[in-house]
DNA sequence: TGTACATCAGTGAACGCGCGTTCACTGATGTAC
DNA sequence: TGTACATCAGTGAACGCGCGTTCACTGATGTAC
């Protein structure tokens, strides 16, 4: 770790940063959550990291590549949040709702990051590949599979996973609209509201059988 | 209609436009669908409408107000699409799925407009008020109410409507990701895929009763 | 019916701004001998 | 261990660009008499 031999004070950064890549991504996240996605320019990120506007070009080809890195970190953080929720749940019913609540909470706590994640995906018309192979989406699929006792056909399993994912994403985007405040209050808080919506996602099927 | 006395050729617009407000909103929609939301600047809209960059300021306070007008028209168009789907359906089961399919199709056919609609809402932390009172959201709620035979409690009805809305919105945003192409093909097309996901939104409830 | 005049809805040039990116440069680092 | 040198990772000034908005203006319209 060569830069540690530097006798810099805590304020004065050495000429060579040491890990500017990571510092830039962190600076980007700081800007996102304090000023929102519209403030996320390359220059602003460099400024926030205390570095000249040209410095990022030694680490990222262009602005898009930096944004991709930010989004990638976002997906990893979402994976982690879902894993934590999955491990905490007692049974498979609770595991399913818990995943949903954790997903929505992640989006609510990191709204700007969440938007960048999906904006990057949209630009490519594709969600991150690793999400389907081993990431967040895969955790949802496994939980559903486990819940059905492994009896669901591959196509049904995939459709159910997409359905759950859509519901989570939709709710994540709706949760902050103030129209729903009265309902949240009537139910005694946001968490109860979330659980209520997730439970009602089965309502149509119930009606079919009535 | 004073401007009709003008002896203008079909190309030469009279000095006074006649209905520049509307023309600007239409120009904005044209830009949205051909170049996407990032190209939607006030100057671009004026250019597209064949008018100087300052002209819009006689009709809209600022860029935001023009965007609001565009979004407002978008919500009206969505209302109309849902109404058409609702009237076309034979029974309440078909009505519900039909609404979902129509919603997603609207988003897929007008992706940039759809994004502007929600971006405007997000900026205000609020969906358009008229949507809850008489618009698209209300149509979904009425259909669910009818489907439950009017027996659902107000809170359940509201939760079910939100659940359905979230599912529709989530699916609208996911539909274009190429990861799902194989599944769409396996099911014989996008429409079957949509219907499949909507039907699976009841899966969790079914499992609860198994 | 004609005319003076207020008002409305355009024009086009200009403002300052922040952006992404490039460039020639320089300071710091690591390595071969 | 010391030194020459290639390479790496920064600097800061500059580029051209499109943006939102303002301004003084002017052409067209409608109205009062």
């Amino acid at each position: 770790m060569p830069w540690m031999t530097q006798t810099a004070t805590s304020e004065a950064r050495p000429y060579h940063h040491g890990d500017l890549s990571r510092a830039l991504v962190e600076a980007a996240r700081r800007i996102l959550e304090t000023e929102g996605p519209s403030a996320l320019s390359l220059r602003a990120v460099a400024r926030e990291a205390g570095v000249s506007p040209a410095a990022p070009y030694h680490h990222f080809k262009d602005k898009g590549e930096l944004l991709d890195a930010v989004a990638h970190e976002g997906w990893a953080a979402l994976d982690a949040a879902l894993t934590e929720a999955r491990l905490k749940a007692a049974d498979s019913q609770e595991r399913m709702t818990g995943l949903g609540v954790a997903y929505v909470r992640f989006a609510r706590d990191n709204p700007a990051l969440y938007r960048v994640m999906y904006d990057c995906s949209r630009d490519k018309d594709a969600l991150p590949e690793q999400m389907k192979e081993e990431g967040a989406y895969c955790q949802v699929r496994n939980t559903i599979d486990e819940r059905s006792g492994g009896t669901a056909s591959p196509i049904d399993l995939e459709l159910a996973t997409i359905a759950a994912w859509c519901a989570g994403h939709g709710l994540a985007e709706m949760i902050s609209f103030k129209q729903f405040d009265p309902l949240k209050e009537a139910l005694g808080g946001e968490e109860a509201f979330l659980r209520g919506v997730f439970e009602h996602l089965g309502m149509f099927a119930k009606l079919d059988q009535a």
Side-chain angles (χ1 to χ4, degrees), chain A residues 66-198:
Chain A
L66 171 57
L67 255 54
D68 284 346
V70 173
H72 185 84
E73 221 191 64
W75 288 108
L78 176 58
D79 286 354
L82 294 195
T83 300
E84 195 193 326
R86 191 165 47 79
L87 296 178
K88 217 188 279 179
D91 57 25
S92 81
Q93 155 71 27
E94 180 53 33
R95 190 136 50 238
M96 201 60 223
T97 314
L99 277 181
V101 172
Y103 183 97
V104 175
R105 198 159 5 206
F106 176 87
R108 195 207 47 195
D109 291 346
N110 309 276
L113 177 59
Y114 185 78
R115 285 182 59 190
V116 168
M117 286 157 60
Y118 272 101
D119 284 349
C120 281
S121 296
R122 235 190 318 254
D123 288 348
K124 305 180 185 57
D125 286 330
L127 295 165
E129 275 303 331
Q130 108 271 9
M131 172 176 144
K132 273 203 92 172
E133 304 311 324
E134 39 172 328
Y137 184 89
C138 185
Q139 295 196 51
V140 174
R141 182 173 43 204
N142 288 348
T143 303
I144 291 177
D145 192 26
E146 171 197 0
R147 211 155 133 50
S148 80
T151 62
S153 76
I155 282 189
D156 274 349
L157 180 55
E158 214 57 53
L159 284 174
T161 309
I162 293 169
W165 194 268
C166 290
H169 175 67
L171 190 44
E173 297 231 310
M174 297 299 156
I175 188 85
S176 54
F177 291 141
K178 70 170 158 38
Q179 272 94 346
F180 304 128
D181 287 354
L183 186 55
K184 283 182 215 160
E185 227 168 276
L187 287 165
E190 195 170 86
E191 169 120 5
F193 171 75
L194 289 186
R195 294 188 179 268
V197 174
F198 280 122

Side-chain angles (χ1 to χ4, degrees), chain A residues 13 17 20 22-35 39-53 56 66:
Chain A
R13 193 177 39 75
H17 184 285
L20 185 54
R22 163 135 253 96
L24 288 169
V25 173
E26 278 162 16
R29 288 191 58 170
R30 244 173 290 136
I31 289 169
L32 273 179
E33 297 313 330
T34 58
E35 307 182 61
L40 193 67
S41 66
L42 235 191
R43 297 182 87 107
V45 172
R47 227 178 290 129
E48 171 73 26
V51 111
S52 83
L66 171 57

